[in-house]
Amino acid sequence: IDAFAEGARALGRLGPDSRVLIAEACAHAPLPEDIGRVKIPRLLRNRFGEKLHIEWVRGTDFPENLNGYDLVIHCGACMFNRKYVLNRIDNARKQQIPMTNYGVAIAHLNGILDKIAY
């Protein structure tokens, strides 16, 4: 959780031309109010503008090269084990790309992260 809280700070540095990667662990069919495809992008665009560039990956399609992204927002990764997620966090850190997860990002965007973390 520390890595994701640290990554959430990057939300304060995003601008209208920033690039965000939303990574989903599973390959489910998105629902009408999907958290990663609808709710989080809506929160981001409400805050940073419609020009914010958002891309999505699913399952094992997570890119090795994260250069060009300003932030990675990852799902809860219930389909992955701990080591798999830690490898993704480590990959992002090595490339100096901040990474957070859905819950921490939503808490930050709603202004409550400082009230629930630590």
Side-chain angles (χ1 to χ4, degrees):
I1 193 81
D2 292 337
F4 291 143
E6 180 183 320
R9 290 187 194 107
L11 286 160
R13 298 188 296 270
L14 294 181
D17 295 321
S18 295
R19 290 184 67 212
V20 176
L21 177 66
I22 296 181
E24 300 171 326
C26 60
H28 72 282
L31 300 172
E33 280 296 309
D34 191 78
I35 192 166
R37 301 275 174 154
V38 177
K39 291 181 180 184
I40 291 174
R42 183 185 310 134
L43 284 169
L44 291 169
R45 288 191 171 118
N46 284 344
R47 172 80 57 92
F48 303 109
E50 290 297 319
K51 287 177 50 181
L52 183 72
H53 185 77
I54 302 172
E55 294 178 28
W56 293 265
V57 292
R58 298 185 331 175
T60 58
D61 292 339
F62 194 80
E64 284 292 321
N65 184 352
L66 297 171
N67 289 319
Y69 293 108
D70 298 293
L71 176 66
V72 175
I73 302 176
H74 205 289
C75 71
C78 63
M79 301 301 293
F80 292 156
N81 64 35
R82 183 176 191 272
K83 183 178 178 180
Y84 202 90
V85 175
L86 290 175
N87 283 336
R88 286 187 172 187
I89 293 169
D90 187 52
N91 182 35
R93 276 189 174 158
K94 286 178 180 172
Q95 296 178 60
Q96 299 179 347
I97 306 299
M99 181 181 207
T100 190
N101 71 4
Y102 286 11
V104 175
I106 290 168
H108 185 280
L109 289 166
N110 285 307
I112 61 169
L113 182 59
D114 60 331
K115 293 174 177 69
I116 60 171
Y118 313 100

